[in-house]
């Protein structure tokens, strides 16, 4: 029996009754896909999985992306789709990436089809004086869209965010001290453009798809309005009412939707306060296939 309980007023739900280590049957898959469309983030507590099982669970939702670039050295043996995020050192050498996801961003925005989800598994969670550290923070892009004034929504109807990877640090972000600093420079990528007002492929609801960490500029507005609009949108997204912090517990599998959230990892723990998380990234190929989503949602309706 699957139960789904909200984690906050606007984002996240806890899902019980799903064993992530096993293949999902069609009804369970449909219910989980509908839930991620409804809640944007799902927590599956109390799981024990291997890297291959994590990848196979994630692969229900889309192609799992093998880790490339500077983080490729930190992958699970034989499972290049599982990225190890950790501050642990063994024999003086880091076993994982220490600074992945420190800036506010959403993942796989440089893909031609925007990336769909991340599936993470927590093995070690830092704590101090009983307080959980090393959370992952989010802003809810669906709630941010719904809260936009009507005139801004209208002006953004044909606007696109352009992502080149060239000017990773080009936008003046000092008005956002909470934004964080990035410790590396991204490489130039094939430029892609994504609608700023996007329709979510599962829920059909609109989201404000604008990645503060990577967007270079807005296309589809008069040149004099672009920069001002971008600053306005980034500030609009980063409001407390759209904020949610996820406190990890060992054994959590947590899946978030990159199409309706931006996130960052909170580095509030020291070198001896160990954090170990495995991460798998899921591309948008399946969820942007309308027939695939229709079929899964009809399974969810039949199972409900
Ligand atoms: C990420 O940005 O994918 C990593 C988030 C985290 O480690 O909390």
């Amino acid at each position: 029996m699957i139960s789904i309980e909200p984690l906050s007023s606007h984002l996240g739900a806890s899902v019980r009754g799903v064993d992530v280590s096993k293949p999902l049957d069609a009804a369970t898959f449909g219910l989980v896909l509908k839930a991620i469309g409804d809640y944007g983030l799902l927590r599956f507590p109390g799981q024990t999985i291997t890297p291959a099982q994590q990848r196979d669970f994630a692969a229900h939702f889309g192609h799992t992306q093998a880790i490339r670039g500077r983080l490729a050295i930190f992958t699970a043996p034989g499972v290049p789709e599982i990225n190890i995020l950790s501050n642990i050192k063994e024999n003086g050498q880091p076993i994982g990436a220490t600074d992945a996801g420190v800036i506010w961003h959403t993942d796989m925005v440089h893909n031609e089809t925007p990336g769909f989800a991340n599936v993470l598994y927590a093995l070690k969670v830092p704590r101090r004086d009983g307080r959980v550290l090393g959370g992952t923070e989010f802003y809810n892009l669906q709630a941010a869209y719904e809260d936009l004034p009507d005139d801004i929504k209208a002006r953004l109807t044909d606007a696109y965010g352009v992502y080149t990877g060239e000017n990773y640090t080009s936008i003046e972000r000092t008005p956002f001290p909470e934004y964080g600093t990035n410790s590396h420079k991204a490489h130039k990528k094939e430029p892609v453009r994504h609608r700023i007002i996007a329709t979510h492929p599962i829920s059909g609801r609109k989201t404000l798809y604008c990645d503060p960490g990577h967007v270079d500029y807005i296309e589809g507005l008069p040149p004099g309005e672009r920069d001002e609009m971008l600053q306005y949108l980034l500030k609009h997204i980063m409001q407390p009412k759209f904020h949610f912090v996820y406190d990890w517990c060992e054994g959590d599998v947590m899946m978030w939707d990159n199409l309706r959230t931006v996130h960052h990892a909170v580095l509030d723990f020291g070198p001896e306060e160990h954090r170990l998380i495995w991460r798998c990234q899921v591309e948008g190929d399946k969820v942007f296939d309308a027939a695939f989503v229709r079929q899964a949602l009809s399974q969810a309706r039949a199972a409900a």
Side-chain angles (χ1 to χ4, degrees):
M1 176 73 184
I2 296 174
S3 74
I4 301 177
E5 272 176 50
L7 287 173
S8 80
S9 59
H10 67 98
L11 195 69
S14 188
V15 181
R16 290 175 196 274
V18 174
D19 182 349
V20 169
S21 72
K22 304 223 162 66
L24 302 182
D25 59 53
T28 304
F29 172 69
L31 289 171
V32 173
L33 192 79
K34 178 169 182 337
I36 189 80
D38 289 343
Y39 294 99
L41 179 155
L42 300 178
R43 170 176 191 246
F44 301 86
Q47 305 285 334
T48 306
I49 54 172
T50 64
Q53 287 167 339
Q54 180 176 356
R55 177 205 51 208
D56 293 348
F57 172 74
H60 286 91
F61 303 91
H63 182 256
T64 51
Q65 188 169 278
I67 308 305
R68 296 182 297 244
R70 73 187 179 99
L71 299 184
I73 53 169
F74 298 121
T75 50
V79 194
E81 299 88 351
I82 298 295
N83 209 181
I84 299 167
L85 313 180
S86 188
N87 62 342
I88 298 173
K89 287 187 176 169
E90 282 173 5
N91 304 319
Q93 296 303 315
I95 65 161
T98 49
D99 63 346
V102 176
I103 61 163
W104 284 102
H105 67 290
T106 190
D107 283 26
M108 296 169 285
V109 76
H110 292 289
N111 293 6
E112 188 67 42
T113 301
F116 169 43
N118 281 21
V119 175
L120 281 78
Y121 175 50
L123 294 100
K124 283 187 199 294
V125 177
R127 290 186 180 76
R128 195 182 305 153
D129 303 327
R131 196 164 58 89
V132 177
L133 305 173
T136 308
E137 290 189 305
F138 295 87
Y139 287 108
N140 180 342
L141 300 179
Q142 180 179 297
Y145 167 77
E146 287 166 3
D147 191 61
L148 279 177
D150 286 344
D151 63 313
I152 302 280
K153 287 181 183 166
R155 280 166 62 195
L156 290 170
T157 308
D158 292 318
Y160 290 80
V162 180
Y163 300 86
T164 68
E166 194 174 13
N167 300 313
Y168 202 57
T169 55
S170 67
I171 294 170
E172 181 51 64
R173 293 185 173 113
T174 47
F176 313 108
E178 72 278 34
Y179 169 82
T181 52
N182 52 310
S183 57
H184 68 283
K185 225 172 155 40
H187 300 291
K188 191 170 184 331
K189 312 237 186 326
E190 278 304 308
V192 292
R193 54 207 281 281
H194 300 305
R195 273 193 186 279
I196 296 260
I197 297 182
T199 301
H200 195 280
I202 303 169
S203 67
R205 292 172 73 167
K206 297 269 198 307
T207 72
L208 183 52
Y209 188 67
C210 185
D211 174 345
H214 299 115
V215 65
D216 289 275
Y217 58 90
I218 294 182
E219 199 178 274
L221 289 179
E225 292 181 22
R226 290 173 170 186
D227 289 353
E228 197 189 333
M229 179 63 90
L230 188 52
Q231 293 296 321
Y232 171 86
L233 292 180
L234 299 186
K235 206 163 179 173
H236 175 77
I237 288 168
M238 293 181 170
Q239 294 189 67
K241 60 187 169 183
F242 309 134
H243 181 260
F244 172 73
V245 57
Y246 186 85
D247 285 328
W248 290 94
C249 184
E250 291 84 353
D252 280 356
V253 168
M254 191 265 270
M255 173 175 183
W256 74 69
D257 179 346
N258 282 302
L259 302 169
R260 68 168 277 191
T261 56
V262 291
H263 66 273
H264 88 139
V266 182
L267 291 189
D268 58 356
F269 50 97
E272 298 310 322
E273 294 167 316
H274 289 166
R275 185 181 197 255
L276 174 59
I277 289 188
W278 297 343
R279 177 181 68 182
C280 187
Q281 294 173 308
V282 182
E283 294 180 8
D285 55 329
K286 287 190 178 176
V287 292
F288 281 101
D289 173 350
F292 175 86
V293 172
R294 237 186 345 264
Q295 165 78 8
L297 295 184
S298 81
Q299 296 282 3
R301 272 193 301 276

